[in-house]
């Protein structure tokens, strides 16, 4: 038997509807174990809809043929809310009067069987008279309403069996497992439930509690894995930073472009120096020859003119050759720069596409695993309440739903783990563009 859980330890959010953000009223439980007010579900879902998306975990569920009304009522949660509302009622109006007598004395107890307040006299009569002996175990003293040690199990012992779904005036005595553990009275066994598989609630609840314990034990082996997946995906999201990769690639491109510009400038300066040196050499030779030829001016004038012209042609030819080679080298470097820019732009575009795909995959997986973790917490809280209360009627209604939810959750954890293993983070990190510029300078 699970240890008793104090009512004060129940998280208030567990009793809150995530649609209206108020305390649950007639709570309906979805297959994922999230609860909502019946009225809120009817407002939130489209009329005649066959599917419903859970607001909390974003899981889609197929509705029963009766729609929202066909969903299970969460009797465990409803019982807790009933007592909390009773506590609030006493706290707000401590002078509640007795309903059973005409003297209108101050109420000192509440009978869950009568669903009414009792004064001290009526309380004593209720607790001792054999006429209402079936009420004895359902009387709650208002002095205990604020007790810190009030537990879910104590509350469960006060509640009465639910009413028959077909005969509201009669209390249920059996469960029809053919109709999904529907509570029925004895006359129903001769009517629409004749021939169905009918079970006594205590024995059925015991079997289902044992099934639940086994399911929970199997599920707990995936608990650590679910939280690990969530943490790994969070780290992966932090590792993916497209802006940082783009900045690094741009810096590399700018540096390479600057280097090529400097290289072109250096070549132009070197060409100018060689041109000046050639011109200086020509002038020096010309002076020496002129001095020599001046002494033989008449005889050697024609030879002098011929040699000077030849020297100029030679220098001009060398300069033109250098100029053409420099032009070709400059064009080659500029073409290489353009090709490098095109290559990096293509790599950046590919990087953006791959990073966007990785980011979408990781974001989708993160939302999936985040939903799994939230469902894990919901299952844990639900199971704790069920094990603490051990309310037969509530358990036969809720435990099959919880077991199915546990099976689905276990499969989702396995699927999430496989998807995480298939995610190649290393591949994303290796998508940085690389630039290689090969130089084959004419002067090297």
């Amino acid at each position: 038997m699970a240890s008793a859980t104090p009512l004060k330890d129940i998280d208030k959010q567990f009793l809150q509807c995530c649609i209206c953000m108020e305390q649950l009223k007639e709570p309906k439980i979805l297959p994922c174990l999230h609860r909502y007010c019946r009225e809120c579900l009817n407002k939130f879902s489209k009329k005649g809809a066959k599917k419903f998306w859970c607001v909390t975990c974003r899981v889609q569920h197929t509705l029963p043929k009766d729609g929202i009304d066909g969903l299970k009522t969460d009797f465990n949660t409803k019982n807790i809310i009933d007592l909390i509302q009773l506590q609030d009622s006493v706290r707000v109006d401590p002078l509640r009067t007795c309903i059973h007598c005409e003297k209108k004395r101050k109420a000192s107890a509440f009978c869950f069987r009568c669903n009414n307040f009792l004064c001290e006299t009526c309380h004593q009569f209720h607790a001792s008279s054999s006429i209402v002996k079936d009420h004895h175990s359902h009387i709650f003293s208002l002095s205990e309403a604020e007790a810190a040690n009030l537990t879910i199990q104590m509350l469960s012992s006060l509640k009465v069996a639910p009413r028959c779904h077909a005969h509201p005036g009669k209390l249920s005595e059996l469960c029809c497992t053919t109709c999904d553990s529907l509570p029925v009275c004895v006359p129903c066994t001769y009517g629409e439930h004749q021939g169905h598989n009918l079970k006594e609630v205590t024995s059925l609840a015991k079997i289902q509690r044992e099934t639940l314990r086994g399911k929970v034990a199997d599920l707990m082996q995936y608990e650590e894995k679910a939280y690990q997946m969530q943490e790994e995906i969070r780290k992966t999201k932090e590792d993916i930073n497209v802006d940082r990769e783009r900045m690094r690639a741009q810096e590399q491109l700018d540096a390479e472009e600057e280097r090529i510009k400097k290289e072109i400038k250096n070549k132009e300066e070197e060409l100018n120096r060689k041109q000046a040196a050639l011109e200086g050499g020509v002038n020096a030779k010309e002076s020496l020859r002129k001095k020599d030829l001046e002494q033989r001016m008449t005889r050697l004038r024609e030879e002098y003119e011929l040699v000077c012209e030849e020297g100029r042609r030679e220098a001009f030819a060398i300069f033109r050759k250098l100029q053409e080679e420099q032009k070709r080298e400059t064009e080659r470097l500029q073409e290489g720069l353009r090709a490098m820019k095109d290559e990096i732009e293509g790599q950046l575009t590919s990087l953006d596409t791959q990073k966007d795909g990785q980011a979408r995959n990781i974001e989708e997986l993160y939302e999936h695993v985040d939903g799994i973790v939230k469902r894990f917490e919901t299952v844990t809280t639900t199971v704790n309440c069920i094990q603490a209360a051990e309310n037969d009627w509530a358990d036969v209604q809720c435990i099959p739903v919880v077991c199915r939810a546990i099976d689905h959750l276990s499969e989702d954890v396995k699927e999430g783990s496989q998807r995480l293993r298939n995610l190649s983070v290393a591949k994303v990190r290796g998508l940085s563009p690389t630039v290689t510029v090969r130089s084959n300078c004419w002067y090297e």
Side-chain angles (χ1 to χ4, degrees):
M1 181 181 295
S3 58
T5 302
L7 195 62
K8 64 182 180 62
D9 291 344
I10 299 296
D11 190 343
K12 297 301 181 184
Q13 289 187 349
F14 184 70
L15 307 175
Q16 185 183 65
C17 173
C18 291
I19 296 179
C20 67
M21 304 307 292
E22 296 180 359
Q23 193 175 74
L24 288 163
K25 296 178 282 292
E26 195 174 349
K28 291 290 184 178
I29 184 169
L30 296 177
C32 60
L33 303 188
H34 290 120
R35 302 152 180 81
Y36 304 96
C37 303
R38 174 179 170 275
E39 183 178 353
C40 290
L41 288 175
N42 279 321
K43 290 180 180 178
F44 197 74
S45 63
K46 296 180 180 179
K47 187 175 181 180
K50 296 181 179 180
K51 302 283 186 180
F52 181 82
W53 289 90
C54 176
V55 178
T56 304
C57 66
R58 302 178 293 280
V59 174
Q60 188 183 54
H61 302 293
T62 301
L63 294 174
K65 62 180 181 179
D66 296 334
I68 297 301
D69 291 337
L71 293 171
K72 291 280 189 181
T73 298
D74 187 355
F75 289 107
N76 270 313
T77 302
K78 187 175 185 300
N79 291 342
I80 296 172
I81 293 173
D82 287 345
L83 185 58
I84 290 176
Q85 290 175 343
L86 177 61
Q87 288 177 317
D88 293 341
S89 174
V90 174
R91 189 181 300 113
V92 173
D93 185 8
L95 299 178
R96 289 275 185 177
T97 57
C98 179
I99 303 298
H100 278 262
C101 64
E102 299 178 354
K103 296 183 179 181
K104 303 298 181 181
R105 296 188 181 95
K106 177 183 176 181
S108 64
F110 184 86
C111 178
F112 282 92
R113 190 65 181 267
C114 301
N115 202 30
N116 281 321
F117 288 95
L118 307 172
C119 64
E120 185 61 33
T121 302
C122 294
H123 180 190
Q124 294 300 326
F125 173 78
H126 250 64
S128 59
S129 175
S130 60
I131 300 176
V132 287
K133 62 180 180 180
D134 54 340
H135 292 220
H136 294 176
S137 59
H138 304 290
I139 300 173
F140 177 65
S141 176
L142 297 184
S143 62
E144 298 177 359
E146 296 297 330
N149 61 347
L150 190 61
T151 65
I152 298 175
Q153 190 171 12
M154 294 167 60
L155 168 64
S156 177
S157 65
L158 295 170
K159 300 295 289 186
V160 298
R163 298 285 176 174
C164 173
H165 77 101
H167 306 95
K170 295 181 178 292
L171 292 176
S172 299
E173 299 180 54
L174 297 169
C175 280
C176 179
T177 57
T178 304
C179 299
D180 200 13
S181 299
L182 195 67
V184 298
C185 62
V186 173
C188 284
T189 63
Y190 301 100
E192 61 177 294
H193 295 278
Q194 185 175 9
H196 287 192
N197 188 15
L198 302 171
K199 297 287 186 181
E200 191 271 325
V201 66
T202 302
S203 61
L204 179 60
K206 183 178 180 181
I207 293 172
Q208 291 187 346
R209 288 188 195 112
E210 289 299 324
T211 302
L212 177 63
R213 291 188 186 98
K215 294 286 186 182
V216 171
D218 293 339
L219 178 64
M220 286 302 104
Q221 64 180 324
Y222 299 112
E223 181 178 18
E224 183 178 356
K225 183 181 293 186
Y227 285 97
Q228 285 177 347
M229 283 196 300
Q230 187 183 40
E231 183 61 27
E232 287 179 26
I233 293 174
R234 186 181 293 112
K235 290 179 180 178
T236 301
K237 288 180 67 179
E238 294 172 356
D239 289 340
I240 295 182
N241 190 329
V242 176
D243 291 337
R244 187 186 308 155
E245 297 294 341
R246 290 179 64 88
M247 186 180 297
R248 187 181 299 117
Q250 188 62 47
E251 289 174 354
Q252 186 178 3
L253 175 62
D254 292 343
E256 199 63 34
E257 184 178 7
E258 185 64 25
R259 186 188 69 79
I260 291 174
K261 288 180 179 178
K262 288 182 179 179
E263 190 174 345
I264 292 173
K265 183 178 179 182
N266 291 337
K267 291 181 186 301
E268 290 175 347
E269 291 176 351
E270 185 174 354
L271 178 62
N272 292 333
R273 286 195 300 270
K274 289 184 178 182
Q275 181 183 1
L278 286 171
E279 289 177 350
V282 170
N283 290 335
K285 289 180 181 179
E286 200 173 300
S287 297
L288 290 175
R289 289 173 181 174
K290 184 177 180 180
K291 185 177 180 180
D292 183 64
L293 290 174
E294 279 178 352
Q295 298 174 0
R296 299 176 293 166
M297 183 67 71
T298 303
R299 184 172 56 86
L300 298 175
R301 183 177 296 275
E302 292 180 1
E303 181 181 353
Y304 165 74
E305 291 295 337
L306 181 62
V307 170
C308 288
E309 183 63 26
E310 182 182 352
R312 290 189 182 93
R313 284 198 302 270
E314 180 183 351
F316 182 74
I318 294 173
F319 175 72
R320 288 290 297 175
K321 181 180 180 180
L322 291 173
Q323 197 173 39
E324 290 174 1
E325 290 181 356
Q326 174 62 25
K327 181 179 179 182
R328 287 194 298 272
E329 180 65 14
T330 300
E331 290 176 350
R332 186 187 67 80
L333 290 173
Q334 290 175 341
E335 181 64 27
L337 179 59
R338 286 193 294 271
M340 181 186 66
K341 287 182 177 180
D342 293 341
E343 179 183 356
I344 289 183
E345 287 297 329
Q347 291 183 5
L348 289 176
T349 301
S350 176
L351 176 65
D352 288 342
T353 302
Q354 295 181 48
K355 285 296 182 69
D356 289 345
Q358 289 284 358
R360 285 194 298 272
N361 290 339
I362 290 176
E363 187 63 32
E364 178 185 346
L365 183 54
Y366 181 78
E367 291 181 1
H368 177 69
V369 174
D370 187 56
I372 288 175
V373 171
K374 289 179 180 177
R375 287 162 60 193
F376 237 110
E377 294 169 352
T378 301
V379 167
T380 302
T381 305
T382 302
V383 169
N384 289 340
C385 288
I386 290 174
Q387 292 178 334
E390 293 195 354
N391 184 313
D392 293 344
W393 285 105
D395 288 355
V396 297
Q397 297 294 312
C398 294
I399 287 179
V401 179
V402 176
C403 290
R404 288 193 292 271
I406 289 175
D407 290 338
H408 292 316
L409 181 55
S410 299
E411 290 301 317
D412 287 348
V413 172
K414 293 177 185 177
E415 179 190 350
S417 179
Q418 182 61 40
R419 289 175 64 184
L420 182 59
R421 283 196 296 270
N422 293 339
L423 187 64
S424 176
V425 178
K427 190 172 183 180
V428 176
R429 293 173 177 167
L431 290 174
S432 301
T434 57
V435 179
T436 303
V437 177
R438 295 181 176 84
S439 177
N440 186 17
C441 297
W442 57 271
Y443 60 85
E444 290 181 345

